[in-house]
Amino acid sequence: SMAFAPPRDRDGPKLQTKMSTWTPLNHQLMNDKASSVFEERRALLGKWFDKWTDGQRRRILVDLLERCSLSQQKFCAKQLQDRVPAEALDFTTRLPRVLSLYIFSFLDPRSLCRCAQVSWYWKYLSELDQLWMLKCLRFGWYINFSPTPFEQGIWKKHYIEMVKELHVTRPKTPSKDEFVVIDVQPLRSNVPEAKCFVLGRRTNKEKKELPPWRSPDRHPTDTIRFNYLNNYDPIKQARQA
């Protein structure tokens, strides 16, 4: 048993050790020798690793990860994250909810229905009333009740029902006998340019149509605007209220 005991100093107590009886702390010569042995073994392990096949390397990596502690595994994950950036991430899991809804708001109804088939979370986002209410109001399709925050998908169902009720007919193409080409006459060259400009200009009585995002009131008094695309879950918000 004495052959495996750590060395003792002749004039003092036993050498201070940590984690291993063969790694002394207060003996510089032995410390240098241990570090040189570690570097030799590290270089030898690197040479072995270079000669192994891909399958052998994977097995060794799995064995090393199983032997590592939690902090060491976190260190490996950090190193891999810096070296290998993540690809093909779902933007709805990285971006805030309001930005995901803002991106979905640019899609047409057919594309939103296709997005609902991607995953359960995409189905939940693409069927929110914040997206479908504006699409219904654009055509003047209203509902006669006020849905609660727990009733999601009401406006999408209403949109689908209104589309089903539409009666779409194909344009009737006239026959060759009924098809008449209007005789087009060129503009007279003796008409002055100023007169043509006046004829093409709008009269003062005609009102200029404003874009849909502009209010007819040039000086609005209400400054509070309700943001439909907020970052809060409607069900959680209703429970908090």
Side-chain angles (χ1 to χ4, degrees):
S1 61
M2 294 298 294
F4 297 97
R8 291 176 175 271
D9 193 0
R10 296 180 181 179
D11 301 330
K14 185 173 66 172
L15 293 175
Q16 297 179 6
T17 59
K18 182 179 181 182
M19 300 298 294
S20 174
T21 56
W22 303 104
T23 309
L25 298 179
N26 55 358
H27 200 287
Q28 187 64 29
L29 180 61
M30 299 186 69
N31 280 338
D32 297 340
K33 185 177 181 181
S35 61
S36 63
V37 171
F38 171 75
E39 293 297 333
E40 291 177 359
R41 292 177 179 177
R42 179 186 175 189
L44 181 61
L45 182 61
K47 292 180 180 179
W48 289 346
F49 192 83
D50 294 337
K51 294 181 180 179
W52 288 334
T53 61
D54 182 69
Q56 292 174 341
R57 292 181 180 182
R58 292 173 185 266
R59 291 173 58 184
I60 291 297
L61 291 176
V62 171
D63 294 341
L64 292 177
L65 288 177
E66 291 179 353
R67 294 172 180 267
C68 292
S69 62
L70 182 60
S71 61
Q72 294 168 354
Q73 291 177 359
K74 290 181 178 179
F75 174 77
C76 294
K78 181 65 170 57
Q79 293 291 327
L80 291 176
Q81 186 177 3
D82 295 340
R83 293 174 178 269
V84 185
E87 297 178 357
L89 288 175
D90 185 2
F91 69 93
T92 59
T93 60
R94 298 294 178 176
L95 296 179
R97 181 175 175 271
V98 60
L99 294 182
S100 301
L101 288 178
Y102 183 69
I103 294 174
F104 281 134
S105 65
F106 290 97
L107 299 179
D108 56 285
R110 184 183 298 272
S111 300
L112 281 177
C113 294
R114 291 175 178 173
C115 290
Q117 301 176 356
V118 174
S119 62
W120 285 105
Y121 187 62
W122 278 48
K123 176 180 172 61
Y124 164 73
L125 290 179
S126 60
E127 291 185 352
L128 286 177
D129 293 337
Q130 289 92 325
L131 299 176
W132 289 90
M133 181 178 63
L134 299 179
K135 298 184 182 301
C136 290
L137 297 181
R138 180 182 178 184
F139 298 102
W141 298 340
Y142 303 95
I143 56 178
N144 54 3
F145 66 96
S146 179
T148 63
F150 299 96
E151 297 174 340
Q152 291 296 323
I154 300 297
W155 286 95
K156 180 181 179 180
K157 295 178 182 177
H158 183 64
Y159 186 93
I160 295 176
E161 292 176 358
M162 296 301 296
V163 169
K164 289 181 179 179
E165 294 180 0
L166 294 177
H167 299 282
V168 182
T169 58
R170 295 183 179 180
K172 183 180 178 182
T173 56
S175 61
K176 295 182 180 180
D177 300 335
E178 297 178 359
F179 189 77
V180 180
V181 179
I182 302 176
D183 187 13
V184 181
Q185 298 180 358
L187 186 64
R188 298 178 182 179
S189 59
N190 55 359
V191 180
E193 295 180 0
K195 190 174 182 180
C196 295
F197 178 74
V198 172
L199 291 176
R201 189 192 304 173
R202 294 182 179 178
T203 59
N204 295 331
K205 295 181 180 180
E206 295 180 1
K207 294 183 179 180
K208 182 180 179 181
E209 295 183 0
L210 295 176
W213 60 85
R214 288 289 302 276
S215 174
D217 189 5
R218 295 185 177 181
H219 304 284
T221 56
D222 56 329
T223 58
I224 301 177
R225 296 289 187 272
F226 182 74
N227 185 11
Y228 290 94
L229 301 178
N230 52 25
N231 199 28
Y232 300 101
D233 189 352
I235 298 179
K236 293 182 180 179
Q237 195 174 5
R239 287 176 178 173
Q240 291 178 359

